[in-house]
Amino acid sequence: MGKRVIVIGGGIVGLSCAYYLQKQGHQPIVIDKSEMNAGASYVNAGYLTPSHIIPLASPGMMAKGIKWMFNSSSPFYMKPRLDMDFIRWAWYFNTSSTRAHVEKAIPLIKDINLLSKELYTEMHDSGEMGDFHLEKRGLLMLFKTPGEGNHEREVMNRAIDQGLEARELTADELGKLQPGLSPEIRGAIHYECDAHSSPDEIMERLKAYLLKAGVLFHKGEAVERFITDGEVVKAAVTEKGSYEADEIVLASGSWSQQLAKKLNIKLEVQPGKGYRINVSRPTPVTIPAILMEAKVAVTPMRGFTRFAGTMELSGINHKIRPERVRAIAKAASDYYVDFEVKPEEMDQAQCGLRPVSPDGLPYIGRTSKYRNLAIATGHAMMGWSLGPATGKLIAELIDGQKTSMALDGFHPERRF
């Protein structure tokens, strides 16, 4: 008989954990404080990105954060505040932003992204959730300045060294692949290894599949405390009830640090707010792209085009900053000729909170404090891309199997 597993968190990571756990004969129960219809899993760019091999914590990022600290429309905004959790996280982020860390992280990020892309493909090809949107057309990195171009060429060469498909496009090739670009664009790198999807569609289909498979959802229930007995977490307690379990999976995204504290576990996570604008009318966009100087992601999804971006470290809140929305809209018109995001489209912008670890790598694994607790969070901007891989790895861990890849680099108790 399978184990009864409480999965705390109903985003792509939590639902992926439930998906693979039920596949292996276990009985997952998903608890989420929201109604499971909004947040980072619904507002992201929908990328599957083996190409994103450089972690957020890399040389120069802290300097950029400090430079942009007092510009609330900047791509990477850290709101100044006297918050000890944030100050400690920022210190660890700074100490992690080294070349040595980047070198160690590159193969880890590549391998888990490739695993996740393969698993998305398996989900799609199985037909279990219908013909959901999944395209393998790659990702363009569009640049206007020599500096950004040189930087991305370095990343491209590292990606090629790792066996990933990538190349720099000629002007003619770029024009054929993506017409309607601004003449100010100097060039593009095409990461052919990448893919894209429509997150809202997949989330709805995944929830429907899990419900049909007998997975229980407890929506609108915040976990208030845990019942423990020595090295075992016996139950998760919400305002509506106590849920006993053989195993607990903490997959609560940006809220994971707060919940970990209830178990006397230190988990360094800061919420990184991202925004999205949906445009449900014809646009010039034919292929996913990142507008490099603006740090804006553009994705042609099923039925609309999404413009997404920014990393805002301002604590747990869902306040929409109009200046950040305007910055995304401006980038769209700066890179695509004869296109503008309309005011009413900006008015419908939404945001989501991405859980960011200090070194830019996710937490996947067990802690030494409790033998039946697994952690699955801290994915930063790669949460959507890494959801299925994280779910499979957690299910393998709970099932006592050899995991599909080594988890040492993702250990929740690693040092920064």
Side-chain angles (χ1 to χ4, degrees), residues 40-334:
S41 294
Y42 296 84
V43 303
N44 63 83
Y47 292 164
L48 315 184
T49 50
S51 69
H52 281 28
I53 55 176
I54 307 300
L56 183 63
S58 58
M61 280 305 297
M62 181 55 76
K64 287 182 180 179
I66 294 172
K67 174 184 175 182
W68 287 332
M69 187 173 284
F70 299 100
N71 178 4
S72 61
S73 63
S74 63
F76 181 43
Y77 172 58
M78 297 191 296
K79 181 181 179 181
R81 60 192 190 278
L82 290 175
D83 178 297
M84 287 311 300
D85 286 339
F86 173 68
I87 292 170
R88 185 173 58 252
W89 179 93
W91 174 259
Y92 289 144
F93 181 85
N94 186 50
T95 58
S96 297
S97 298
T98 65
R99 291 192 180 278
H101 167 63
V102 171
E103 293 302 317
K104 184 178 178 180
I106 283 174
L108 295 174
I109 296 172
K110 180 206 70 172
D111 288 347
I112 192 170
N113 264 290
L114 287 175
L115 173 61
S116 214
K117 181 183 171 185
E118 179 184 333
L119 295 173
Y120 267 116
T121 301
E122 288 180 3
M123 283 182 181
H124 179 270
D125 293 349
S126 72
E128 292 174 333
M129 292 181 282
D131 183 27
F132 63 74
H133 180 218
L134 179 64
E135 289 189 63
K136 299 178 180 179
R137 302 191 61 207
L139 174 68
L140 293 178
M141 304 295 287
L142 302 174
F143 54 87
K144 292 183 174 185
T145 59
E148 289 291 352
N150 291 334
H151 168 76
E152 198 58 39
R153 287 186 191 98
E154 291 181 9
V155 176
M156 177 190 71
N157 290 332
R158 293 306 307 271
I160 292 171
D161 290 343
Q162 290 290 320
L164 299 173
E165 303 88 3
R167 66 191 184 94
E168 185 167 3
L169 300 179
T170 66
D172 287 344
E173 289 174 326
L174 178 57
K176 290 177 182 177
L177 196 59
Q178 175 58 76
L181 290 172
S182 165
E184 295 181 0
I185 293 173
R186 288 174 175 255
I189 305 297
H190 186 202
Y191 289 101
E192 297 163 312
C193 54
D194 289 3
H196 70 284
S197 59
S198 296
D200 307 61
E201 178 184 276
I202 292 178
M203 288 296 289
E204 293 307 317
R205 293 186 183 214
L206 182 53
K207 286 185 291 186
Y209 169 84
L210 291 172
L211 288 170
K212 188 175 179 180
V215 175
L216 298 177
F217 290 174
H218 290 278
K219 302 178 184 179
E221 294 191 43
V223 173
E224 297 179 336
R225 63 187 179 90
F226 296 93
I227 298 173
T228 62
D229 182 9
E231 296 181 344
V232 175
V233 183
K234 303 286 287 184
V237 182
T238 74
E239 69 275 23
K240 296 182 180 179
S242 178
Y243 302 98
E244 295 184 354
D246 300 307
E247 298 273 357
I248 302 281
V249 179
L250 184 56
S252 304
S254 294
W255 289 264
S256 298
Q257 183 183 49
Q258 295 177 350
L259 287 170
K261 284 181 178 180
K262 297 178 186 295
L263 291 164
N264 295 315
I265 293 173
K266 289 184 179 180
L267 195 65
E268 302 296 341
V269 175
Q270 282 294 307
K273 188 189 298 180
Y275 294 77
R276 71 96 174 117
I277 302 170
N278 286 348
V279 176
S280 301
R281 56 186 168 89
T283 72
V285 181
T286 61
I287 187 170
I290 291 182
L291 318 181
M292 291 191 60
E293 286 77 14
K295 303 296 185 289
V296 168
V298 184
T299 315
M301 296 186 178
R302 185 172 278 176
F304 60 95
T305 302
R306 175 166 291 177
F307 299 85
T310 81
M311 174 63 76
E312 176 186 326
L313 297 164
S314 60
I316 291 183
N317 70 82
H318 287 89
K319 179 183 177 181
I320 300 290
R321 290 179 176 268
E323 67 271 25
R324 299 187 73 73
V325 176
R326 288 194 295 269
I328 293 173
K330 183 178 185 302
S333 59
D334 285 347

Side-chain angles (χ1 to χ4, degrees), residues 265-268 362-368 373-377 407-416:
I265 293 173
K266 289 184 179 180
L267 195 65
E268 302 296 341
Y363 299 114
I364 306 172
R366 294 197 184 277
T367 70
S368 59
L373 174 69
I375 308 292
T377 189
L407 298 180
D408 297 359
F410 307 126
H411 200 287
E413 294 175 338
R414 62 185 181 270
R415 289 189 173 187
F416 302 112

Side-chain angles (χ1 to χ4, degrees), residues 387-407:
T390 302
K392 185 171 179 61
L393 291 166
I394 289 292
E396 291 169 341
L397 193 67
I398 287 174
D399 208 42
Q401 301 178 25
K402 181 181 179 180
T403 54
S404 296
M405 64 178 292
L407 298 180

